[in-house]
Amino acid sequence: MTAPLPFTRITADGVRTVVQRPVAAEVPVAIEFNGIGYAVLMATPADLDDLVTGFALAERLIEAGNELLEIDAHKTDRGVIVRAMLSPERAARVADRVRHRVSESSCGLCGIENLEQALRPLPRVTAKSETSDAAIFAALAALRDHQPLNRATGGVHAAALVSRDGTIRLAREDVGRHNAFDKLIGAMAQGGLGWDGGCALLSSRCSFELVEKAALANCPLLVTVSAPTALAVERARAAGLRLVVLARSDAVLAVGP
């Protein structure tokens, strides 16, 4: 969170006043794996170990948190560089994925390979959720208490690990909805936490990349505050992932599989 910035508040009747308001930080976070520049994310510069761990899992570079041997963050004038070392068994995956990324700026035909990479088959979700409808509403009611940065700024998303009874066990925040989910999954991987019959609750819409992150994390139930895309529903059904969307305090919409 940055220092408060001045804004001019304008009311419907034309009254103008100067107010001070804190603003969420958003900086470039450059991620390197084994010395190879891999990606730059626009993110909130907090919980970066969790972010990089969750991101590596979502990119299928690793399969468990302990396959990242070390993570070091270095602040610069323009952002943050995070250097992570993968275990020798996983190092080859970095070079392979970078090769696909480089081809994105090449000829049009190379895009065919990239499209196949983007929509690779997802693993079937094997975990089971025992989260009741009442537990989902309880978690929705409690989510605000686990969003200190959003309460202060009104500008960030949250991802929460919810127990089967609706208790929020862990939450992470970020300006990017996908970053927040990566942070949550990364924190779970580093802490040895499982879904244990619960679910994930996100303060965002349900896009296909969030479905993919959930499936790769073997999440049995994904609950989002806003609506899904058609591709998100399609991918969730293919993976056997249960969806609850448009989750509000008075009603939710349950989607197959």
Side-chain angles (χ1 to χ4, degrees):
M1 185 167 58
T2 67
L5 299 176
F7 293 87
T8 300
R9 182 174 183 270
I10 306 170
T11 63
D13 57 3
V15 176
R16 292 172 174 255
T17 53
V18 176
V19 297
Q20 298 285 327
R21 184 180 177 87
V23 178
E26 181 179 22
V27 304
V29 177
I31 299 176
E32 296 179 3
F33 291 113
N34 291 34
I36 299 174
Y38 190 87
V40 178
L41 309 178
M42 298 304 298
T44 302
D47 302 309
L48 293 180
D49 285 13
D50 297 338
L51 174 62
V52 172
T53 302
F55 179 75
L57 287 164
E59 288 287 295
R60 310 191 197 195
L61 298 177
I62 61 174
E63 296 175 10
N66 61 9
E67 292 175 351
L68 278 180
L69 303 182
E70 59 181 274
I71 304 173
D72 294 311
H74 305 270
K75 292 184 179 180
T76 73
D77 292 340
R78 296 188 177 183
V80 182
I81 300 173
V82 183
R83 299 186 174 101
M85 291 297 296
L86 276 65
S87 65
E89 296 80 10
R90 302 303 180 202
R93 295 188 182 184
V94 177
D96 183 60
R97 289 290 289 128
V98 168
R99 178 175 63 82
H100 288 301
R101 285 172 174 265
V102 169
S103 70
E104 291 172 5
S105 61
S106 186
C107 65
L109 290 176
C110 295
I112 294 174
E113 189 176 26
N114 290 308
L115 289 174
E116 291 173 350
Q117 287 290 314
L119 298 177
R120 287 173 291 173
L122 291 171
R124 292 286 297 181
V125 173
T126 58
K128 303 296 181 183
S129 176
E130 300 171 11
T131 311
S132 66
D133 296 341
I136 292 174
F137 286 113
L140 284 167
L143 184 60
R144 180 175 172 79
D145 293 336
H146 296 266
Q147 296 179 268
L149 185 56
N150 191 61
R151 284 201 310 274
T153 66
V156 297
H157 283 292
L161 167 62
V162 179
S163 68
R164 67 188 70 190
D165 67 357
T167 301
I168 294 180
R169 300 168 59 193
L170 181 69
R172 289 291 184 267
E173 292 183 280
D174 198 277
V175 291
R177 60 186 185 277
H178 41 76
N179 294 337
F181 202 15
D182 276 342
K183 286 180 177 180
L184 176 69
I185 293 169
M188 291 174 62
Q190 293 195 77
L193 299 176
W195 299 104
D196 301 328
C199 67
L201 170 60
L202 309 183
S203 66
S204 65
R205 66 183 176 89
C206 183
S207 56
F208 93 94
E209 70 268 29
L210 297 178
V211 163
E212 299 213 344
K213 291 178 188 296
L216 289 166
N218 201 31
C219 174
L221 172 62
L222 179 61
V223 182
T224 67
V225 169
S226 196
T229 65
L231 183 57
V233 173
E234 176 186 333
R235 297 286 275 174
R237 285 175 172 162
L241 168 65
R242 289 176 55 206
L243 295 180
V244 169
V245 298
L246 287 170
R248 310 297 168 81
S249 60
D250 58 341
V252 301
L253 289 182
V255 183

